[in-house]
Amino acid sequence: MATILTVDDSPSIRQMIKVVLEPAGHSVIEAGDGAQGLAKAQASKLDLVITDLNMPVMNGLELIKALRKLPSAVGMPIVFLTTESNDTVKQEAKSAGATGWITKPFKPEQLLAVVAKLVRA
């Protein structure tokens, strides 16, 4: 199935994502901030990135802008998973290159549906 990078400064959120996606057959790579996420994206072949917005070192918007400059990330879906629900922030994320948006807290079925929609089996 898909190789998915999840970038969040909360280990519990990264673990929740992993617990939902790995039993569905996906491989999950974890990063604790945007800079770590960018490094792992450069070192891996990814099918999808799920990132938080507010993180130390490099936030989610900065990460998306950096990912969109990588030839390997052309066309790769990037989803925000965050507590932010402000329309202005959503528009800023879309302009940066985000493909989708999931608001925390999320239901496992919701995450699986978004991944299934964005990643080809």
Side-chain angles (χ1 to χ4, degrees), residues 12-88:
S12 62
I13 294 295
R14 292 194 313 266
Q15 184 63 31
M16 284 175 51
I17 293 169
K18 194 170 188 170
V19 165
V20 171
L21 296 180
E22 284 190 340
H26 302 295
S27 175
V28 177
I29 299 171
E30 298 180 48
D33 61 53
Q36 289 178 8
L38 181 60
K40 290 189 177 188
Q42 291 171 318
S44 307
K45 182 173 177 0
L46 303 172
D47 299 299
L48 172 71
V49 173
I50 299 171
T51 183
D52 189 12
L53 177 60
N54 299 309
M55 298 180 287
V57 184
M58 175 188 279
N59 70 35
L61 285 173
E62 294 167 330
L63 173 61
I64 288 176
K65 290 175 184 174
L67 287 172
R68 289 300 182 211
K69 293 178 181 174
L70 298 176
S72 62
V74 172
M76 180 180 63
I78 303 173
V79 175
F80 263 116
L81 179 62
T82 181
T83 56
E84 290 280 343
S85 60
N86 181 309
D87 287 339
T88 302

